[in-house]
Amino acid sequence: MQDALYVLHGKWKLPIIVALSSGNKRFNELQKTVKGIAAKVLSHELKELELNGFVLRKVHNTTPVIIEYELTDYSNTLGAVVNSLREWGTMHREKIRSQLRQTAEQHSPVDAV
């Protein structure tokens, strides 16, 4: 468990991986897709994901130079993890919403007859 958390820690790594799952993206595209991430943070996270074998940085020899990021085959090993987290997150959100509704109903004023 510790190894997995070490590699995927933080709030940005999995959203970056999910964003890249729809296809290769350039840096600016990725920053627009992963809402709220600063450029410096995105750059740092991409380097860590590359070091851990999840992301490949492709440099196209064009003018101007185009740099794209893509998921490696190894990143596919996270599929079950990502799906489990997505399912758990949905279940948890519904649980919290249900609890909030129940609390609101318990504290709503009773109509006078």
Side-chain angles (χ1 to χ4, degrees), residues 21-109:
S21 69
S22 63
N24 300 359
K25 289 189 177 28
R26 293 172 68 177
F27 188 89
N28 288 337
E29 292 176 288
L30 202 46
Q31 190 174 14
K32 288 176 188 171
T33 305
V34 181
K35 305 273 190 256
I37 192 168
K40 186 175 180 178
V41 174
L42 177 57
S43 177
H44 175 77
E45 297 292 276
L46 284 168
K47 285 176 187 171
E48 284 193 5
L49 287 168
E50 189 177 7
L51 284 171
N52 284 293
F54 296 113
V55 170
L56 180 64
R57 182 177 183 261
K58 290 176 70 174
V59 179
H60 298 277
N61 226 357
T62 58
T63 304
V65 173
I66 295 175
I67 299 171
E68 284 186 319
Y69 296 90
E70 68 179 56
L71 293 179
T72 63
D73 289 339
Y74 181 65
S75 67
N76 292 332
T77 63
L78 292 172
V81 172
V82 171
N83 287 334
S84 292
L85 284 170
R86 183 179 289 129
E87 289 171 11
W88 183 87
T90 300
M91 182 270 310
H92 180 69
R93 181 180 56 237
E94 291 305 315
K95 176 185 180 296
I96 297 301
R97 284 182 179 168
S98 176
Q99 288 175 339
L100 290 173
R101 278 193 299 271
Q102 288 175 356
T103 301
E105 290 170 4
Q106 292 171 355
H107 292 94
S108 65

